[in-house]
Amino acid sequence: MQRYLDPSVLAGISGLDLVAKTVVDGFVAGLHRSPDFGFSQEFAEYRAYSPGDDLRHVDWNVFARTERAFLKRYRGETNTLLTVLLDASNSMSYTSHSTTKMDYARYIAGAIFYLANVMQRDAAGLLVFDDEVRAYIRPSTRQGQLHRLLSGLENAEPHARTDFAKPLVHFQNFLRKRGLVVVISDFYESPEVIVRTIEPLHFHGNEVVLFHVLDPKEVRPNLGEPAILVDLETQERMEVSPEYAQNEYRQKMDAHIADLRDRARRSGLDYFLLVTDKPLDAALREYLTIRQGRF
Amino acid sequence: MGFISPWFLAGALAVGLPIYLHLLQRHMTTPHSFSSLMFFERRTQSSIKHRRLRYLALFSLRLALLLLLALAFANPFINRSAASMTGEKLLLVVIDDSFSMRAGTRLADAKREALSVLASKGAAERAQVVALGSSPRLLTQITPDAAELRAAVNSLQPGDSHANFGEMGRLVRSIADSVRTPIDVHLISDMQRSGMPASFSEMALPSNATLTLHPVVTEAVPNWTVESVNAPGEVGDPKKAQVQAVVAGYHTPAAMRMVSLAVNGKTVDTKSVAVPAGGRATVNFASLDVPYGLSRCEVRIDSADVLPADDVSLFAVERSDPQKVLFVHEPDDERSPLYFRAALGAAAETAFTPDSVTTDRTANIDPTKYAFVVLSDVVSLPNSFEDDLRKYVQGGGNVLIAAGTSTARRGRIPVTGDAILETRNYSSDPAGFLNVGDVDASYPSLEKADRWSGVRFFFAVRVNPDNYRVAAKLTDQMPLLLEKQIGEGRVILLASGLDNLTNDFPLHPVFVPFVEQTARYLSGIQSRSGASLVDSFLQLRNAKEQAVSVEVIDPDGKRPLSLKDATSAQSFQLTQAGFYELHLANGRHDLIGVNPDRRESDLDVIPSDTLALWRGNPAAGQPQASTEVQTQVTTQPYSLWWYVVLALLAVALAESLIASQYLGTRREEL
């Protein structure tokens, strides 16, 4: 578990507060103070009764003294709801160095969970998917939630292919409250399909962040000689030449990234490209800094 | 062209391996996993073309590598004329400088003949001069320089060694292995019959060598010599020492010869002896009166023959005072001192005087004054004497203990304190006695006394042999002669008596050499020989005397050993006749007379038919006196192995370079 909570990563982002961009429900204690009111023990103000209000909230002591009905209002302590959608398809197992894309995604998710659940007391949940929903941990602030989340990350092993449609529809059925949704994937799909599948989450009032995880050799492949490549998801074999990998592939990959970024931003989604040879804390810091600036 | 091992060519079938790898598996490329082929397109045509071109060079090199490897094992050769290989010959001039060449003007004639052979050689022709003694000595390198070759011949001095024509054959064979040119061998010698080896095949020359013989004599010459001298190396009592000389005549008529014995250059005795025709006669000198210390002695005859150098035989004698031996016995035992004294006295070269003392008179005796001590079947010893004996042994003294019936009653061995575990009385056995079974002939006491058959033992004691070296056992495996190291000294235990009661050992001839050898071993005096032969080796040190300097002074008064050899050489070859002075590693000074091998005195020559057979021309009845060089026109297999191996190495290097380039590329792959 400790490997997901790398102290160097946490030290790098502890100065940054995870401030939710959107107030989802209720009031937030601490930094996540919500403009909405809830019902808790911290008194906020009185409001004159109007027909239709719940009589259980009427302050009968005030009514006895003044013969006017007032409702007691309290400051809510509801936290931000964070859900991480982790792509666990086979393509995430690729690596050209020591860290696979899946490991890198685990590190990011683990760091976010720790930051949200331990330091910000946010309710955090996890959904692991490939072409199905493989695991789902409901967002919660209960004791031991971080452990469950990290165990869920640990058990997420790559298999099958990526299919965003089915898992996200399923996820929308679970989603009852608005919050922050982080999607971590290598997004080997048409940008149009990706955005079309994910943007309904934004329509429901969620703040959606896309972490696009890629290996450096996926961005800039370097073939010394003609080689046979095997697709990790489809097992398709293809003989490719170094010249193609050097030129056309790179152009196509750059176009794919640019297209996804543009479409995501046009749809109100945040997009970040993370290459697995970059330091993890730098990637998180970059994201959180931007988030703080936007808040 | 042919192959020495053609079956190895079957290894060329291994070329199928690279053919399979490169052609049949040409399209087999190790696939690499990739996350998604979403952005890739097939480009098959260009990649295969590229790979085929690059692998072709590696394929060719690997084929060549395997073919050359099979070829190297098959060892190809071509038949070439021996003369055509280099177009030149090697002239090998072998001059016999053995002892017999001192006769008359033989060596001078040989040198003159050698110079004439060298004069006939061409200016560019290479030659080498070799002196032939017991082993050939290369006087020059292979060189065309006529002046150097002539100087080597002129510098040749008469030697003292024994010629061996087998060694010459061995030399020529080794030269033929390294020099692949025809060799013209010219042997200039007195063709002494005694120089022939035991097997004629040892004299055989290789096929590319031709032998031309230049005999300096053609028939046997009469010669007298002192063939051998039998004299003690050490003398204790000059009156008991005898010198026996054998005078031999080879191809000589019957004649009277005067034989004289000289000590340190002074003739002490002269005798006349009748030597039969071609026979031998023995001369005895009844005494050898030499002064104390080392003396140079010689036996000389007046022969007036062609080889006066063999009329004398040298030997060295050392005279010293007899050493005292303490012999302790029981008062009632009068036999054992008698037998022991008689045995010591009978030994020809002994220098020991036994002091017989009974056990009751040993209290005030200091054992350190004696060369060694004998305890003959003693029951008890005064405590002070036994303590002194223990200290004596601890300090390096040596004791011989004979354990008979009296010692058995005591129950333990004196000095060592070992318990007597058992006594065996064989007289009660059906045979009544036991003989000696196993004998360790390497044990010093038994070196000359290993004929124990017939010696009967009636009684023996047994001790625990764990800490002893057992040198002899009875037939029932009872240890009979044992040695134990105590401190710096040693104790020899005879598990029976010396008194002719418990055994009949003193009555047998083997008793004398046993007592003599044991006395020498216990007193630390090694047997020395005052004479040796030229070319024999002299032991300079033993295993305990490493890194101790020794000194050898040859008959010319020079020190032939270098400083390094003086501290490390184990042995030294005696190359000259005369007296050698030695300062050995154990501190002793020694003198040794060195005489030439007496086979050199027989001046008979090898029969002409044998010489013709040796030359490889049995039809020729007479030795070939011509110095004309003949060229042997024969074909010789000329191996191409080295060329094949060189090509193999070059191909292997190229293959490694090209293959490493592929490997280097693969490291950059996905």
Side-chain angles (χ1 to χ4, degrees), chain B residues 157-180:
Chain B
Q157 297 298 317
D160 294 322
S161 58
H162 172 56
N164 188 338
F165 298 125
E167 292 295 327
M168 191 198 82
R170 196 166 294 125
L171 171 73
V172 176
R173 289 196 294 274
S174 66
I175 291 176
D177 286 341
S178 57
V179 180
R180 298 184 176 276

PDB file of all heavy atoms in Angstrom, chain B residues 157-180:
ATOM      1  N   GLN B 157      87.474 -29.123 -27.904  1.00  0.00           N
ATOM      2  CA  GLN B 157      88.469 -29.769 -27.050  1.00  0.00           C
ATOM      3  C   GLN B 157      88.035 -31.208 -26.778  1.00  0.00           C
ATOM      4  O   GLN B 157      86.836 -31.512 -26.801  1.00  0.00           O
ATOM      5  CB  GLN B 157      88.587 -29.015 -25.724  1.00  0.00           C
ATOM      6  CG  GLN B 157      89.089 -27.581 -25.856  1.00  0.00           C
ATOM      7  CD  GLN B 157      90.502 -27.535 -26.446  1.00  0.00           C
ATOM      8  OE1 GLN B 157      91.379 -28.320 -26.066  1.00  0.00           O
ATOM      9  NE2 GLN B 157      90.708 -26.627 -27.403  1.00  0.00           N
ATOM     10  N   PRO B 158      88.988 -32.093 -26.533  1.00  0.00           N
ATOM     11  CA  PRO B 158      88.610 -33.478 -26.238  1.00  0.00           C
ATOM     12  C   PRO B 158      87.802 -33.568 -24.959  1.00  0.00           C
ATOM     13  O   PRO B 158      88.096 -32.881 -23.977  1.00  0.00           O
ATOM     14  CB  PRO B 158      89.961 -34.204 -26.110  1.00  0.00           C
ATOM     15  CG  PRO B 158      90.950 -33.129 -25.849  1.00  0.00           C
ATOM     16  CD  PRO B 158      90.446 -31.902 -26.516  1.00  0.00           C
ATOM     17  N   GLY B 159      86.780 -34.393 -24.994  1.00  0.00           N
ATOM     18  CA  GLY B 159      85.918 -34.536 -23.826  1.00  0.00           C
ATOM     19  C   GLY B 159      86.166 -35.853 -23.113  1.00  0.00           C
ATOM     20  O   GLY B 159      87.025 -36.643 -23.499  1.00  0.00           O
ATOM     21  N   ASP B 160      85.389 -36.072 -22.066  1.00  0.00           N
ATOM     22  CA  ASP B 160      85.538 -37.292 -21.266  1.00  0.00           C
ATOM     23  C   ASP B 160      84.280 -38.151 -21.280  1.00  0.00           C
ATOM     24  O   ASP B 160      84.205 -39.139 -20.563  1.00  0.00           O
ATOM     25  CB  ASP B 160      85.859 -36.913 -19.813  1.00  0.00           C
ATOM     26  CG  ASP B 160      87.214 -36.241 -19.697  1.00  0.00           C
ATOM     27  OD1 ASP B 160      88.148 -36.658 -20.405  1.00  0.00           O
ATOM     28  OD2 ASP B 160      87.339 -35.281 -18.908  1.00  0.00           O
ATOM     29  N   SER B 161      83.317 -37.740 -22.066  1.00  0.00           N
ATOM     30  CA  SER B 161      82.040 -38.445 -21.990  1.00  0.00           C
ATOM     31  C   SER B 161      82.022 -39.632 -22.953  1.00  0.00           C
ATOM     32  O   SER B 161      82.954 -39.844 -23.732  1.00  0.00           O
ATOM     33  CB  SER B 161      80.902 -37.484 -22.306  1.00  0.00           C
ATOM     34  OG  SER B 161      81.097 -36.925 -23.582  1.00  0.00           O
ATOM     35  N   HIS B 162      80.955 -40.363 -22.879  1.00  0.00           N
ATOM     36  CA  HIS B 162      80.792 -41.577 -23.671  1.00  0.00           C
ATOM     37  C   HIS B 162      79.872 -41.257 -24.853  1.00  0.00           C
ATOM     38  O   HIS B 162      78.763 -40.757 -24.671  1.00  0.00           O
ATOM     39  CB  HIS B 162      80.181 -42.675 -22.797  1.00  0.00           C
ATOM     40  CG  HIS B 162      79.807 -43.896 -23.565  1.00  0.00           C
ATOM     41  ND1 HIS B 162      80.697 -44.595 -24.341  1.00  0.00           N
ATOM     42  CD2 HIS B 162      78.619 -44.559 -23.676  1.00  0.00           C
ATOM     43  CE1 HIS B 162      80.096 -45.628 -24.897  1.00  0.00           C
ATOM     44  NE2 HIS B 162      78.834 -45.622 -24.511  1.00  0.00           N
ATOM     45  N   ALA B 163      80.350 -41.538 -26.064  1.00  0.00           N
ATOM     46  CA  ALA B 163      79.574 -41.208 -27.255  1.00  0.00           C
ATOM     47  C   ALA B 163      78.345 -42.103 -27.340  1.00  0.00           C
ATOM     48  O   ALA B 163      78.379 -43.274 -26.950  1.00  0.00           O
ATOM     49  CB  ALA B 163      80.428 -41.378 -28.497  1.00  0.00           C
ATOM     50  N   ASN B 164      77.258 -41.502 -27.833  1.00  0.00           N
ATOM     51  CA  ASN B 164      76.031 -42.258 -28.010  1.00  0.00           C
ATOM     52  C   ASN B 164      75.420 -41.832 -29.340  1.00  0.00           C
ATOM     53  O   ASN B 164      74.890 -40.734 -29.467  1.00  0.00           O
ATOM     54  CB  ASN B 164      75.074 -41.980 -26.843  1.00  0.00           C
ATOM     55  CG  ASN B 164      73.870 -42.882 -26.876  1.00  0.00           C
ATOM     56  OD1 ASN B 164      73.515 -43.410 -27.924  1.00  0.00           O
ATOM     57  ND2 ASN B 164      73.246 -43.061 -25.726  1.00  0.00           N
ATOM     58  N   PHE B 165      75.514 -42.710 -30.326  1.00  0.00           N
ATOM     59  CA  PHE B 165      74.991 -42.360 -31.648  1.00  0.00           C
ATOM     60  C   PHE B 165      73.462 -42.300 -31.661  1.00  0.00           C
ATOM     61  O   PHE B 165      72.873 -41.677 -32.540  1.00  0.00           O
ATOM     62  CB  PHE B 165      75.491 -43.368 -32.687  1.00  0.00           C
ATOM     63  CG  PHE B 165      76.991 -43.374 -32.823  1.00  0.00           C
ATOM     64  CD1 PHE B 165      77.728 -44.542 -32.670  1.00  0.00           C
ATOM     65  CD2 PHE B 165      77.675 -42.189 -33.083  1.00  0.00           C
ATOM     66  CE1 PHE B 165      79.105 -44.547 -32.783  1.00  0.00           C
ATOM     67  CE2 PHE B 165      79.063 -42.191 -33.194  1.00  0.00           C
ATOM     68  CZ  PHE B 165      79.788 -43.359 -33.035  1.00  0.00           C
ATOM     69  N   GLY B 166      72.841 -42.933 -30.690  1.00  0.00           N
ATOM     70  CA  GLY B 166      71.387 -42.827 -30.577  1.00  0.00           C
ATOM     71  C   GLY B 166      70.962 -41.401 -30.280  1.00  0.00           C
ATOM     72  O   GLY B 166      69.943 -40.917 -30.776  1.00  0.00           O
ATOM     73  N   GLU B 167      71.764 -40.698 -29.450  1.00  0.00           N
ATOM     74  CA  GLU B 167      71.448 -39.298 -29.139  1.00  0.00           C
ATOM     75  C   GLU B 167      71.561 -38.442 -30.398  1.00  0.00           C
ATOM     76  O   GLU B 167      70.813 -37.474 -30.568  1.00  0.00           O
ATOM     77  CB  GLU B 167      72.381 -38.785 -28.057  1.00  0.00           C
ATOM     78  CG  GLU B 167      72.164 -39.415 -26.703  1.00  0.00           C
ATOM     79  CD  GLU B 167      70.797 -39.071 -26.129  1.00  0.00           C
ATOM     80  OE1 GLU B 167      70.314 -37.960 -26.406  1.00  0.00           O
ATOM     81  OE2 GLU B 167      70.212 -39.917 -25.443  1.00  0.00           O
ATOM     82  N   MET B 168      72.531 -38.785 -31.262  1.00  0.00           N
ATOM     83  CA  MET B 168      72.657 -38.012 -32.502  1.00  0.00           C
ATOM     84  C   MET B 168      71.416 -38.202 -33.377  1.00  0.00           C
ATOM     85  O   MET B 168      70.897 -37.251 -33.972  1.00  0.00           O
ATOM     86  CB  MET B 168      73.902 -38.452 -33.266  1.00  0.00           C
ATOM     87  CG  MET B 168      74.234 -37.524 -34.415  1.00  0.00           C
ATOM     88  SD  MET B 168      75.352 -38.251 -35.612  1.00  0.00           S
ATOM     89  CE  MET B 168      74.223 -39.204 -36.590  1.00  0.00           C
ATOM     90  N   GLY B 169      70.937 -39.448 -33.456  1.00  0.00           N
ATOM     91  CA  GLY B 169      69.721 -39.696 -34.233  1.00  0.00           C
ATOM     92  C   GLY B 169      68.554 -38.901 -33.688  1.00  0.00           C
ATOM     93  O   GLY B 169      67.752 -38.324 -34.429  1.00  0.00           O
ATOM     94  N   ARG B 170      68.474 -38.829 -32.354  1.00  0.00           N
ATOM     95  CA  ARG B 170      67.377 -38.087 -31.731  1.00  0.00           C
ATOM     96  C   ARG B 170      67.482 -36.604 -32.065  1.00  0.00           C
ATOM     97  O   ARG B 170      66.479 -35.942 -32.346  1.00  0.00           O
ATOM     98  CB  ARG B 170      67.435 -38.314 -30.220  1.00  0.00           C
ATOM     99  CG  ARG B 170      66.168 -37.920 -29.499  1.00  0.00           C
ATOM    100  CD  ARG B 170      66.150 -38.478 -28.087  1.00  0.00           C
ATOM    101  NE  ARG B 170      66.081 -39.921 -28.073  1.00  0.00           N
ATOM    102  CZ  ARG B 170      66.939 -40.730 -27.447  1.00  0.00           C
ATOM    103  NH1 ARG B 170      67.941 -40.210 -26.774  1.00  0.00           N
ATOM    104  NH2 ARG B 170      66.812 -42.035 -27.491  1.00  0.00           N
ATOM    105  N   LEU B 171      68.719 -36.087 -32.064  1.00  0.00           N
ATOM    106  CA  LEU B 171      68.921 -34.660 -32.375  1.00  0.00           C
ATOM    107  C   LEU B 171      68.494 -34.355 -33.814  1.00  0.00           C
ATOM    108  O   LEU B 171      67.798 -33.374 -34.074  1.00  0.00           O
ATOM    109  CB  LEU B 171      70.393 -34.287 -32.171  1.00  0.00           C
ATOM    110  CG  LEU B 171      70.762 -32.905 -32.673  1.00  0.00           C
ATOM    111  CD1 LEU B 171      70.194 -31.839 -31.752  1.00  0.00           C
ATOM    112  CD2 LEU B 171      72.266 -32.746 -32.794  1.00  0.00           C
ATOM    113  N   VAL B 172      68.926 -35.207 -34.726  1.00  0.00           N
ATOM    114  CA  VAL B 172      68.602 -34.947 -36.133  1.00  0.00           C
ATOM    115  C   VAL B 172      67.095 -35.022 -36.347  1.00  0.00           C
ATOM    116  O   VAL B 172      66.510 -34.226 -37.090  1.00  0.00           O
ATOM    117  CB  VAL B 172      69.343 -35.953 -37.047  1.00  0.00           C
ATOM    118  CG1 VAL B 172      68.932 -35.752 -38.496  1.00  0.00           C
ATOM    119  CG2 VAL B 172      70.844 -35.790 -36.892  1.00  0.00           C
ATOM    120  N   ARG B 173      66.451 -35.932 -35.676  1.00  0.00           N
ATOM    121  CA  ARG B 173      64.984 -36.037 -35.814  1.00  0.00           C
ATOM    122  C   ARG B 173      64.307 -34.782 -35.286  1.00  0.00           C
ATOM    123  O   ARG B 173      63.344 -34.289 -35.879  1.00  0.00           O
ATOM    124  CB  ARG B 173      64.475 -37.281 -35.067  1.00  0.00           C
ATOM    125  CG  ARG B 173      64.844 -38.580 -35.737  1.00  0.00           C
ATOM    126  CD  ARG B 173      64.008 -39.739 -35.187  1.00  0.00           C
ATOM    127  NE  ARG B 173      64.305 -40.025 -33.789  1.00  0.00           N
ATOM    128  CZ  ARG B 173      65.275 -40.824 -33.366  1.00  0.00           C
ATOM    129  NH1 ARG B 173      66.069 -41.412 -34.243  1.00  0.00           N
ATOM    130  NH2 ARG B 173      65.465 -41.038 -32.087  1.00  0.00           N
ATOM    131  N   SER B 174      64.799 -34.242 -34.186  1.00  0.00           N
ATOM    132  CA  SER B 174      64.169 -33.029 -33.651  1.00  0.00           C
ATOM    133  C   SER B 174      64.448 -31.831 -34.550  1.00  0.00           C
ATOM    134  O   SER B 174      63.573 -30.974 -34.740  1.00  0.00           O
ATOM    135  CB  SER B 174      64.667 -32.752 -32.234  1.00  0.00           C
ATOM    136  OG  SER B 174      66.034 -32.427 -32.258  1.00  0.00           O
ATOM    137  N   ILE B 175      65.652 -31.760 -35.132  1.00  0.00           N
ATOM    138  CA  ILE B 175      65.940 -30.662 -36.066  1.00  0.00           C
ATOM    139  C   ILE B 175      65.058 -30.776 -37.295  1.00  0.00           C
ATOM    140  O   ILE B 175      64.521 -29.785 -37.807  1.00  0.00           O
ATOM    141  CB  ILE B 175      67.438 -30.673 -36.445  1.00  0.00           C
ATOM    142  CG1 ILE B 175      68.293 -30.288 -35.237  1.00  0.00           C
ATOM    143  CG2 ILE B 175      67.714 -29.709 -37.604  1.00  0.00           C
ATOM    144  CD1 ILE B 175      69.778 -30.359 -35.490  1.00  0.00           C
ATOM    145  N   ALA B 176      64.856 -32.015 -37.760  1.00  0.00           N
ATOM    146  CA  ALA B 176      64.035 -32.204 -38.957  1.00  0.00           C
ATOM    147  C   ALA B 176      62.599 -31.770 -38.716  1.00  0.00           C
ATOM    148  O   ALA B 176      61.904 -31.331 -39.637  1.00  0.00           O
ATOM    149  CB  ALA B 176      64.079 -33.675 -39.383  1.00  0.00           C
ATOM    150  N   ASP B 177      62.145 -31.876 -37.470  1.00  0.00           N
ATOM    151  CA  ASP B 177      60.779 -31.439 -37.165  1.00  0.00           C
ATOM    152  C   ASP B 177      60.627 -29.929 -37.266  1.00  0.00           C
ATOM    153  O   ASP B 177      59.567 -29.425 -37.611  1.00  0.00           O
ATOM    154  CB  ASP B 177      60.386 -31.897 -35.756  1.00  0.00           C
ATOM    155  CG  ASP B 177      60.106 -33.385 -35.726  1.00  0.00           C
ATOM    156  OD1 ASP B 177      59.867 -33.941 -36.816  1.00  0.00           O
ATOM    157  OD2 ASP B 177      60.142 -33.979 -34.636  1.00  0.00           O
ATOM    158  N   SER B 178      61.698 -29.220 -36.912  1.00  0.00           N
ATOM    159  CA  SER B 178      61.605 -27.759 -36.904  1.00  0.00           C
ATOM    160  C   SER B 178      62.111 -27.141 -38.199  1.00  0.00           C
ATOM    161  O   SER B 178      61.650 -26.083 -38.598  1.00  0.00           O
ATOM    162  CB  SER B 178      62.396 -27.196 -35.713  1.00  0.00           C
ATOM    163  OG  SER B 178      63.728 -27.632 -35.774  1.00  0.00           O
ATOM    164  N   VAL B 179      63.076 -27.786 -38.841  1.00  0.00           N
ATOM    165  CA  VAL B 179      63.619 -27.258 -40.096  1.00  0.00           C
ATOM    166  C   VAL B 179      63.127 -28.146 -41.220  1.00  0.00           C
ATOM    167  O   VAL B 179      63.493 -29.303 -41.292  1.00  0.00           O
ATOM    168  CB  VAL B 179      65.163 -27.269 -40.060  1.00  0.00           C
ATOM    169  CG1 VAL B 179      65.714 -26.721 -41.358  1.00  0.00           C
ATOM    170  CG2 VAL B 179      65.662 -26.497 -38.880  1.00  0.00           C
ATOM    171  N   ARG B 180      62.266 -27.619 -42.045  1.00  0.00           N
ATOM    172  CA  ARG B 180      61.631 -28.464 -43.063  1.00  0.00           C
ATOM    173  C   ARG B 180      62.425 -28.467 -44.370  1.00  0.00           C
ATOM    174  O   ARG B 180      61.864 -28.482 -45.443  1.00  0.00           O
ATOM    175  CB  ARG B 180      60.202 -28.001 -43.285  1.00  0.00           C
ATOM    176  CG  ARG B 180      59.363 -28.129 -42.030  1.00  0.00           C
ATOM    177  CD  ARG B 180      57.947 -27.759 -42.261  1.00  0.00           C
ATOM    178  NE  ARG B 180      57.159 -27.975 -41.059  1.00  0.00           N
ATOM    179  CZ  ARG B 180      56.633 -29.130 -40.692  1.00  0.00           C
ATOM    180  NH1 ARG B 180      56.802 -30.180 -41.458  1.00  0.00           N
ATOM    181  NH2 ARG B 180      55.932 -29.250 -39.590  1.00  0.00           N
TER     182      ARG B 180
END
